[in-house]
Amino acid sequence: MEARLQNPATTLGATQPIQEMYKAVYSGGVSRTTLDLVHLRASQINGCSSCVDSGARGARKAGETEERLFAVAAWRETSYFTDAERAALELTEAATRLADRSDPVPDDVWERAAAHYDDKGLAALTLMVALTNFFNRLNITTKQIAGAWG
Protein backbone atom coordinates (compact mmCIF):
# COMPACT_ATOMS: atom_id res chain seq x y z
CA MET A 1 0.00 0.00 0.00
CA GLU A 2 1.07 3.51 -0.67
CA ALA A 3 -0.46 6.84 0.28
CA ARG A 4 -1.77 8.94 -2.59
CA LEU A 5 -0.35 12.10 -1.10
CA GLN A 6 1.42 13.22 2.05
CA ASN A 7 -1.11 14.40 4.63
CA PRO A 8 -2.60 17.62 3.19
CA ALA A 9 -2.21 19.49 6.48
CA THR A 10 1.53 18.79 6.33
CA THR A 11 1.76 19.58 2.63
CA LEU A 12 0.16 22.99 3.11
CA GLY A 13 1.92 23.83 6.36
CA ALA A 14 -1.25 23.77 8.45
CA THR A 15 0.06 21.62 11.28
CA GLN A 16 0.74 24.49 13.70
CA PRO A 17 -2.86 25.82 13.71
CA ILE A 18 -4.14 22.26 14.09
CA GLN A 19 -1.81 21.70 17.05
CA GLU A 20 -3.23 24.86 18.62
CA MET A 21 -6.70 23.39 18.28
CA TYR A 22 -5.58 20.19 20.01
CA LYS A 23 -3.99 22.30 22.75
CA ALA A 24 -7.39 23.93 23.25
CA VAL A 25 -9.10 20.52 23.38
CA TYR A 26 -6.74 19.29 26.08
CA SER A 27 -7.31 22.45 28.13
CA GLY A 28 -11.06 21.79 28.37
CA GLY A 29 -10.94 19.67 31.51
CA VAL A 30 -11.85 16.34 29.90
CA SER A 31 -9.47 13.51 30.78
CA ARG A 32 -6.95 12.37 28.21
CA THR A 33 -8.42 8.88 28.57
CA THR A 34 -11.89 10.05 27.54
CA LEU A 35 -10.55 12.11 24.65
CA ASP A 36 -8.58 9.08 23.43
CA LEU A 37 -11.74 6.96 23.54
CA VAL A 38 -13.66 9.63 21.62
CA HIS A 39 -10.95 9.76 18.95
CA LEU A 40 -10.83 5.99 18.64
CA ARG A 41 -14.62 5.59 18.41
CA ALA A 42 -15.09 8.25 15.74
CA SER A 43 -12.22 6.75 13.75
CA GLN A 44 -13.76 3.29 13.99
CA ILE A 45 -17.09 4.59 12.72
CA ASN A 46 -15.42 6.32 9.78
CA GLY A 47 -13.17 3.35 8.97
CA CYS A 48 -9.95 5.36 9.21
CA SER A 49 -7.33 2.67 9.74
CA SER A 50 -4.56 5.22 10.23
CA CYS A 51 -6.43 7.01 13.05
CA VAL A 52 -7.65 3.77 14.64
CA ASP A 53 -4.06 2.55 14.68
CA SER A 54 -2.51 5.78 15.98
CA GLY A 55 -5.38 6.33 18.41
CA ALA A 56 -5.10 2.87 19.94
CA ARG A 57 -1.31 3.15 20.15
CA GLY A 58 -1.49 6.56 21.79
CA ALA A 59 -4.15 5.46 24.27
CA ARG A 60 -2.16 2.35 25.16
CA LYS A 61 0.98 4.43 25.66
CA ALA A 62 -1.01 6.76 27.96
CA GLY A 63 -2.01 3.75 30.07
CA GLU A 64 -5.30 2.60 28.56
CA THR A 65 -6.03 -1.11 28.99
CA GLU A 66 -6.32 -3.60 26.17
CA GLU A 67 -9.78 -4.67 27.37
CA ARG A 68 -11.18 -1.16 27.07
CA LEU A 69 -9.52 -0.52 23.71
CA PHE A 70 -10.94 -3.76 22.33
CA ALA A 71 -14.39 -2.92 23.69
CA VAL A 72 -14.75 0.67 22.43
CA ALA A 73 -16.73 -0.44 19.38
CA ALA A 74 -19.19 -2.25 21.67
CA TRP A 75 -19.11 0.17 24.61
CA ARG A 76 -22.86 -0.17 25.24
CA GLU A 77 -22.53 -3.89 25.93
CA THR A 78 -19.64 -3.75 28.39
CA SER A 79 -19.10 -2.65 31.95
CA TYR A 80 -15.65 -1.19 31.23
CA PHE A 81 -16.70 2.45 30.87
CA THR A 82 -17.90 5.05 33.34
CA ASP A 83 -21.19 6.87 32.89
CA ALA A 84 -19.26 9.99 31.84
CA GLU A 85 -17.29 8.02 29.23
CA ARG A 86 -20.50 6.44 27.96
CA ALA A 87 -22.06 9.89 27.56
CA ALA A 88 -18.96 11.07 25.67
CA LEU A 89 -19.02 8.01 23.41
CA GLU A 90 -22.73 8.44 22.72
CA LEU A 91 -22.17 12.10 21.81
CA THR A 92 -19.24 11.06 19.61
CA GLU A 93 -21.36 8.58 17.68
CA ALA A 94 -24.18 11.07 17.16
CA ALA A 95 -21.86 13.89 16.07
CA THR A 96 -19.98 11.56 13.71
CA ARG A 97 -23.05 9.96 12.09
CA LEU A 98 -24.73 13.22 11.11
CA ALA A 99 -26.57 11.82 8.10
CA ASP A 100 -28.09 8.85 9.93
CA ARG A 101 -31.15 10.65 11.31
CA SER A 102 -33.08 13.89 10.95
CA ASP A 103 -31.98 15.13 14.39
CA PRO A 104 -28.36 13.92 14.40
CA VAL A 105 -27.54 15.03 17.95
CA PRO A 106 -30.82 14.86 19.85
CA ASP A 107 -31.35 16.81 23.05
CA ASP A 108 -31.33 13.67 25.20
CA VAL A 109 -27.86 12.72 23.93
CA TRP A 110 -26.59 16.24 24.60
CA GLU A 111 -28.22 16.32 28.04
CA ARG A 112 -26.60 13.03 29.07
CA ALA A 113 -23.21 14.48 28.16
CA ALA A 114 -24.03 17.79 29.87
CA ALA A 115 -24.80 15.88 33.07
CA HIS A 116 -21.08 14.96 33.23
CA TYR A 117 -19.28 17.82 31.53
CA ASP A 118 -19.41 21.59 31.92
CA ASP A 119 -19.41 23.97 28.95
CA LYS A 120 -15.62 23.77 28.54
CA GLY A 121 -15.76 19.99 28.68
CA LEU A 122 -18.58 19.85 26.13
CA ALA A 123 -16.61 22.21 23.91
CA ALA A 124 -13.54 19.99 24.23
CA LEU A 125 -15.52 16.86 23.37
CA THR A 126 -17.19 18.54 20.41
CA LEU A 127 -13.90 19.90 19.08
CA MET A 128 -12.21 16.50 19.51
CA VAL A 129 -14.98 14.82 17.52
CA ALA A 130 -14.70 17.48 14.82
CA LEU A 131 -10.90 17.23 14.62
CA THR A 132 -11.05 13.46 14.50
CA ASN A 133 -13.61 13.54 11.71
CA PHE A 134 -11.43 16.13 9.93
CA PHE A 135 -8.38 13.87 10.07
CA ASN A 136 -10.40 10.77 9.22
CA ARG A 137 -11.51 12.44 6.00
CA LEU A 138 -8.01 13.64 5.12
CA ASN A 139 -6.45 10.25 5.83
CA ILE A 140 -9.09 8.19 4.05
CA THR A 141 -9.11 10.42 0.97
CA THR A 142 -5.32 10.34 0.64
CA LYS A 143 -5.05 6.68 1.71
CA GLN A 144 -2.71 7.24 4.63
CA ILE A 145 -1.18 3.98 5.80
CA ALA A 146 -1.85 2.66 9.30
CA GLY A 147 1.36 2.51 11.30
CA ALA A 148 3.29 4.70 8.87
CA TRP A 149 4.10 7.21 11.61
CA GLY A 150 5.80 4.69 13.84
Side-chain angles (χ1 to χ4, degrees):
M1 291 185 102
E2 187 174 314
R4 291 178 170 156
L5 176 74
Q6 183 180 22
N7 185 296
T10 304
T11 300
L12 297 176
T15 54
Q16 184 59 39
I18 293 167
Q19 288 307 314
E20 291 298 319
M21 291 177 72
Y22 277 112
K23 188 175 174 182
V25 166
Y26 289 107
S27 73
V30 177
S31 72
R32 162 81 191 256
T33 300
T34 300
L35 293 171
D36 285 345
L37 295 173
V38 163
H39 172 77
L40 181 57
R41 185 64 190 123
S43 298
Q44 289 172 335
I45 291 166
N46 289 323
C48 181
S49 64
S50 182
C51 286
V52 167
D53 180 72
S54 67
R57 288 174 190 264
R60 188 179 304 116
K61 191 174 183 177
E64 188 57 81
T65 66
E66 296 292 325
E67 291 83 9
R68 284 170 40 100
L69 290 174
F70 294 148
V72 169
W75 63 268
R76 285 180 177 87
E77 288 80 35
T78 72
S79 60
Y80 296 140
F81 305 100
T82 68
D83 288 344
E85 290 168 337
R86 290 173 180 284
L89 290 166
E90 182 179 31
L91 180 61
T92 299
E93 289 184 357
T96 298
R97 293 182 163 136
L98 296 176
D100 287 359
R101 52 185 157 187
S102 62
D103 184 9
V105 184
D107 290 341
D108 63 319
V109 170
W110 183 263
E111 289 164 9
R112 278 191 286 280
H116 299 280
Y117 302 98
D118 62 11
D119 285 352
K120 283 182 73 173
L122 290 167
L125 289 169
T126 302
L127 189 53
M128 178 57 99
V129 172
L131 285 169
T132 300
N133 278 278
F134 168 78
F135 271 107
N136 291 166
R137 280 148 181 78
L138 290 179
N139 291 335
I140 291 168
T141 301
T142 60
K143 295 193 176 206
Q144 297 301 305
I145 309 302
W149 300 315

